[in-house]
Amino acid sequence: MSRSPRFISLRWKLWMPFLLAVLSIHVGLYSYVGRQIERQYERDQQVSFKSNLKALDGVLTTSYHKLLEVGQTILIMKQTASTLRYKDYIYSSISEKFPQLEAQGIVDGAAVFDTQGQLLFSVGNIDLQTNSGVQPALKNERPVREMRCKDQCFRTIAIPLLNSGKVEGVLVLGRLMQDIVLDFKQLTAVEMGIARKNIEKPSDIDAWSLDFTQLTQRNQNMQILQTLSQQVTHISNETLYRADVFDRHYEIYFTVPASVAFTDTVWVLITDGTIRYQAMQALKNQLGVGFIISSLFLLMIAFMSASKVARRLVNVPFLVKAQDLIKEQGLVLEKSLVKEQFAGRQIDARQDRLFFQDEISAISLWIRDVCDMVERLSEGEQKSSHCIESMAKALSVEKERVAHLVGSTENVIVTQSTDGTVLTMNDVGKKLFGISKEAALPKFVDLFFTSEFNQQALDSITRLYMGLDNLVYLDSQSLDLKGQLRDFSWIHSYISACSEHRAIILSVGIDMTEKREAERKSALPG
């Protein structure tokens, strides 16, 4: 005999699916809302960095204007000069003023080119011997600005030297980019650096092949960038990256300003976003706590409801009274096994086919106990009366079902034995099929299964005769007294034997001829 299934209360069977649904929904909502919060945070940071880039462009433009002002000041001073030639005066003025301008951090280099673009004179600590802005300045007779990176990045402005309406050369002033980096940090409180691409030899950050020529707080920021390079081996411009270093949360943004014409350098902005990041994480944590409280509240209500349902099932008044009646009758039922004979072997009627049992399984066993008690009641008239009452109740239930389905339709009511012999038939059936009161009643299938349509119905009622089913619903076709084919919908109930009465089958036939005819006509093509 197989092992009995394990008992699991109905409250858990009701509550566990609800638990999975609530957790799945809340986890999904938390993931979705949390991701939206992170995306909004990233969008805000992108907007912030774009605002910083506008400030950077402003600082770059201002720096070029300062260089242009210095160059124009040098040129304007020619009006007070002596009889020196124009170029000689320019050389003299630059040589005289350059140390002071360099000390003040205004200019880091200066050079003069002739009308052929050849270098005539240079001074300072940056290489201005070749400058691509000279020819455009000579051609357009207007200042041309440029940025260049060698060992260091610097910016230059090429100013045409005009004398008596003629261009006599080009003055080039240059300055390193360190002042731009410092001015930008003071303006925005954002760390900034400029990196030059270097593929041929070892770089400051080998993973990216970048040399940082200018970088604020170099020691700290290089560690931040080295940490990021271990996480991201390939960087893209206009992309926001994150790195956690020194127990702080840093956000790094790589870009090339729109006003910069060369592409062999990368500008990096670094900001400490710890406070904003912690605020975003705190908001997500509050959201998670809210979802946890919500799920616990819903699960508590669901568990209480499931427990109440389980308690009400096991305390149904009918079952309580049945148990009391069993005790009053003093009947001892076999609680462990109820043996039934089927197909020549013993089976366990209490064995639940499900893997787990619950209160409903217990109720089924209690109902079987009630049936056992009824089978053990006193013999004779008391048991016969009870059996007849049970049959009447079953017939009443079937009549209510039929009345609900077909309303006022007249029905054929037949009782038959388990071998298919018709025992009784009501007047409706006898009148419909022309059977007199004295005539012997035929087999049920011979009278009501007179069409090829009835093969499936024949299989179903055969199972009923064999005792495999207790209740069968089927359709059949038969010829009435006038030879007209009629459609019937049958309800067959197997009523077990009790006392001296043998088992019978109660059959209720619903005449569906008019309805089927209407359906067939409506199905014809118009």
Side-chain angles (χ1 to χ4, degrees), residues 146-424:
E146 184 184 23
M147 284 188 182
R148 301 176 62 192
C149 283
K150 290 187 177 180
D151 294 334
Q152 288 186 317
C153 292
F154 56 91
R155 63 192 183 278
T156 62
I157 186 167
I159 306 171
L161 298 176
L162 299 177
N163 184 28
S164 300
K166 295 181 180 180
V167 177
E168 296 190 4
V170 177
L171 171 63
V172 178
L173 300 178
R175 190 175 181 188
L176 296 174
M177 298 297 295
Q178 189 65 27
D179 65 318
I180 298 292
V181 174
L182 297 176
D183 290 346
F184 177 77
K185 180 180 178 181
Q186 292 178 356
L187 180 64
T188 62
V190 175
E191 305 289 343
M192 194 189 80
I194 305 174
R196 183 171 59 90
K197 295 181 180 179
N198 183 4
I199 302 177
E200 292 79 9
K201 59 183 181 179
S203 308
D204 289 337
I205 299 181
D206 293 333
W208 299 336
S209 300
L210 292 180
D211 279 331
F212 282 86
T213 58
Q214 281 89 19
L215 183 63
T216 57
Q217 297 192 61
R218 186 178 184 86
N219 291 334
Q220 173 181 311
N221 291 329
M222 282 301 297
Q223 294 184 58
I224 296 172
L225 294 172
Q226 288 286 2
T227 301
L228 180 62
S229 69
Q230 297 172 4
Q231 303 171 0
V232 181
T233 57
H234 178 73
I235 58 172
S236 301
N237 291 337
E238 316 302 326
T239 303
L240 181 64
Y241 297 95
R242 299 175 181 175
D244 294 321
V245 188
F246 314 121
D247 295 328
R248 307 290 292 178
H249 181 80
Y250 293 94
E251 292 162 352
I252 302 97
Y253 192 80
F254 295 91
T255 185
V256 176
S259 59
V260 176
F262 58 91
T263 59
D264 60 342
T265 61
V266 177
W267 297 56
V268 58
L269 308 181
I270 304 173
T271 181
D272 186 350
T274 304
I275 297 177
R276 293 189 300 273
Y277 186 76
Q278 290 176 348
M280 185 266 292
Q281 292 295 334
L283 179 59
K284 290 181 62 177
N285 293 337
Q286 292 174 2
L287 179 66
V289 171
F291 279 136
I292 291 174
I293 295 174
S294 173
S295 60
L296 290 177
F297 180 73
L298 292 175
L299 292 175
M300 180 180 65
I301 294 177
F303 184 79
M304 293 173 61
S305 301
S307 300
K308 188 174 182 179
V309 170
R311 285 196 302 270
R312 293 198 64 178
L313 281 176
V314 297
N315 292 303
V316 174
F318 165 74
L319 297 175
V320 175
K321 291 180 180 180
Q323 288 179 306
D324 294 339
L325 182 59
I326 292 172
K327 294 178 181 179
E328 290 176 2
Q329 294 294 329
L331 298 176
V332 179
L333 302 179
E334 297 179 3
K335 296 294 184 180
S336 59
L337 292 175
V338 176
K339 300 294 183 179
E340 294 181 356
Q341 189 72 24
F342 176 71
R345 57 191 176 92
Q346 295 287 334
I347 65 170
D348 183 2
R350 293 174 180 268
Q351 186 69 38
D352 197 325
R353 294 182 180 179
L354 300 177
F355 189 72
F356 295 111
Q357 290 182 338
D358 52 29
E359 284 81 1
I360 295 179
S361 303
I363 291 172
S364 300
L365 293 178
W366 292 347
I367 293 175
R368 290 182 181 182
D369 291 341
V370 174
C371 294
D372 293 340
M373 180 197 70
V374 172
E375 292 178 1
R376 287 167 176 77
L377 290 175
S378 59
E379 297 179 356
E381 185 176 340
Q382 181 181 1
K383 192 170 185 180
S384 300
S385 300
H386 182 75
C387 184
I388 293 172
E389 182 181 355
S390 298
M391 293 172 61
K393 289 182 178 179
L395 181 59
S396 176
V397 172
E398 296 301 335
K399 285 184 176 180
E400 289 177 1
R401 290 180 181 175
V402 173
H404 178 72
L405 291 173
V406 298
S408 60
T409 303
E410 292 185 355
N411 310 312
V412 177
I413 301 176
V414 178
T415 60
Q416 54 179 309
S417 63
T418 55
D419 62 355
T421 301
V422 176
L423 302 176
T424 62

Side-chain angles (χ1 to χ4, degrees), residues 439-500:
L441 296 174
K443 292 281 188 178
F444 181 86
V445 295
D446 295 337
L447 184 60
F448 295 101
F449 286 12
T450 58
S451 171
E452 295 179 357
F453 172 80
N454 300 305
Q455 183 58 46
Q456 184 177 0
L458 183 60
D459 295 339
S460 298
I461 200 169
T462 301
R463 290 180 57 84
L464 186 68
Y465 292 154
M466 295 175 63
L468 298 178
D469 293 325
N470 292 327
L471 184 64
V472 172
Y473 297 85
L474 54 86
D475 295 332
S476 70
Q477 291 182 338
S478 57
L479 298 175
D480 61 5
L481 178 62
K482 299 179 181 180
Q484 180 182 356
L485 187 65
R486 289 190 170 272
D487 292 274
F488 280 90
S489 180
W490 289 96
I491 303 174
H492 302 282
S493 299
Y494 187 98
I495 301 177
S496 302
C498 56
S499 186
E500 69 276 6

